[in-house]
Amino acid sequence: MPISSILDEVKKLSDSGIKEVTLLGQNVNSYLDKSEINFSFSTVNLDQQMELSKGFKTNYKNKKISGGRTFIDLIDSVSRVNPEIRVRFTSPHPKDFPDNLLYLIRDRPNICKTIHLPAQSGSTTCLERMRRGYTREAYIELVRKIKETMPDIALTSDFIAGFCDETEEEHMDTISLMRLVKYTYCFVYSYSMREKTKAYHRFNDNVPLEIKNRRYLEMVDTFRTNANELNQTKLNQIHLVLIDQISKRSLD
């Protein structure tokens, strides 16, 4: 979808009184609008143009690109429509967080200081089987850079329990990553086979269900403990919040 079309929609939402918009897409920060020929650059491969985060790679073949506008152009333009509208985006891939995107999020007041950073696993060997394109160390370095740029950032993530061939050591690597990063929210799932994926054709879903369930509960418990610690640091502080509806309980 061209940036111009997205901006038209955001302007209509703004005029109707909407207070928050979310840019939604699979690997949303890999967005590229090639419809505007005025925004051109020398033909380069996809990795160079999209400025992958240090230590990250894409599993897709290099593509030749001769022009276009990136996700940075998109979120910059959307955030300028109305400074009173909050702007969020999901779901990104960790590989597409160049420094200038982080600086834009930091410096633009109405871009929410929350980043969804799907990890899936805290184990390098498991990440390799998942074909995620990064190591545990690269992910931790990206987290360090994000927190250094925005100390008050809220990080959320996705994790999978019991991926194919996952060992107890790999599981504990995930637990330790969760404890290290301290996410404000996590989506945790037990692994299940999906057709049309590489794992479906290359691996066996061989982690017993009872082990998956135990690891899932351990991950959930770790997240809740960390989230509670983070919430305690917010006591006696004043925060700007957006109320989007009245709770049914409030009507009693």
Side-chain angles (χ1 to χ4, degrees), residues 2 9 18 34 43 47 49 89 92 96 106 128 139-141 155 159 162 203 223 226:
E9 184 174 355
I18 295 297
K34 296 189 289 183
T43 301
D47 280 10
Q49 168 56 22
F89 60 95
D96 292 313
R106 177 194 65 189
E128 289 175 352
Y139 184 93
I140 291 174
E141 174 59 21
L155 295 177
F159 286 98
F203 302 114
F223 152 67
N226 292 336

Side-chain angles (χ1 to χ4, degrees), residues 5-245:
S5 176
I6 297 172
L7 290 178
D8 287 343
E9 184 174 355
V10 173
K11 289 173 183 175
K12 291 178 181 178
L13 293 172
S14 174
D15 292 341
S16 68
I18 295 297
K19 299 300 182 182
E20 181 173 301
V21 296
T22 300
L23 302 176
L24 177 66
Q26 186 68 31
N27 294 359
V28 64
N29 52 339
S30 303
Y31 173 87
L32 182 67
D33 175 11
K34 296 189 289 183
S35 66
E36 299 184 43
I37 60 175
N38 291 331
F39 292 84
S40 62
F41 41 79
S42 300
T43 301
V44 294
N45 68 48
L46 185 61
D47 280 10
Q48 292 172 325
Q49 168 56 22
M50 301 309 287
E51 297 184 77
L52 272 65
S53 305
K54 184 178 180 180
F56 290 71
K57 63 181 180 180
T58 177
N59 287 305
Y60 299 101
K61 295 180 180 179
N62 286 344
K63 299 178 182 178
K64 296 298 181 180
I65 304 171
S66 58
R69 302 177 70 185
T70 67
F71 180 72
I72 296 173
D73 298 310
L74 171 61
I75 194 169
D76 176 40
S77 300
V78 168
S79 67
R80 292 178 184 275
V81 169
N82 182 344
E84 297 301 319
I85 285 186
R86 295 186 180 195
V87 180
R88 299 182 184 274
F89 60 95
T90 196
S91 177
H93 192 288
K95 67 183 176 64
D96 292 313
F97 276 100
D99 290 350
N100 48 356
L101 175 57
L102 297 180
Y103 299 151
L104 176 64
I105 297 172
R106 177 194 65 189
D107 297 336
R108 194 61 52 81
N110 62 331
I111 299 180
C112 295
K113 303 304 181 278
T114 300
I115 292 179
H116 188 62
L117 204 63
Q120 305 299 1
S121 173
S123 163
T124 293
T125 51
C126 194
L127 290 168
E128 289 175 352
R129 293 197 301 279
M130 292 178 171
R131 302 179 76 245
R132 290 291 293 171
Y134 53 87
T135 63
R136 171 191 175 91
E137 291 74 22
Y139 184 93
I140 291 174
E141 174 59 21
L142 176 59
V143 169
R144 183 202 63 78
K145 179 184 292 186
I146 291 174
K147 289 187 174 183
E148 183 179 83
T149 305
M150 294 170 280
D152 294 331
I153 194 74
L155 295 177
T156 62
S157 194
D158 298 337
F159 286 98
I160 295 175
F163 185 74
C164 306
D165 295 328
E166 184 185 62
T167 65
E168 194 64 23
E169 182 179 3
E170 290 174 332
H171 167 64
M172 292 310 299
D173 282 344
T174 297
I175 295 294
S176 69
L177 179 68
M178 297 175 75
R179 289 172 176 163
L180 177 65
V181 177
K182 296 187 184 301
Y183 301 95
T184 59
Y185 195 83
C186 286
F187 298 92
V188 181
Y189 307 93
S190 294
Y191 177 74
S192 61
M193 278 287 190
R194 292 290 186 271
E195 292 188 34
K196 298 182 180 180
T197 63
K198 290 289 184 179
Y200 182 84
H201 298 285
R202 297 176 61 186
F203 302 114
N204 294 317
D205 185 6
N206 55 2
V207 178
L209 182 59
E210 61 272 19
I211 294 180
K212 282 184 185 178
N213 290 340
R214 190 256 300 166
R215 291 176 181 174
Y216 166 83
L217 292 174
E218 289 177 358
M219 293 161 69
V220 170
D221 182 64
T222 300
F223 152 67
R224 288 177 175 171
T225 298
N226 292 336
N228 182 62
E229 292 176 2
L230 290 174
N231 290 339
Q232 292 299 314
T233 67
K234 303 300 180 181
L235 294 177
N236 301 316
Q237 295 183 15
I238 297 176
H239 297 273
L240 179 65
V241 300
L242 174 63
I243 300 174
D244 58 4
Q245 64 182 355

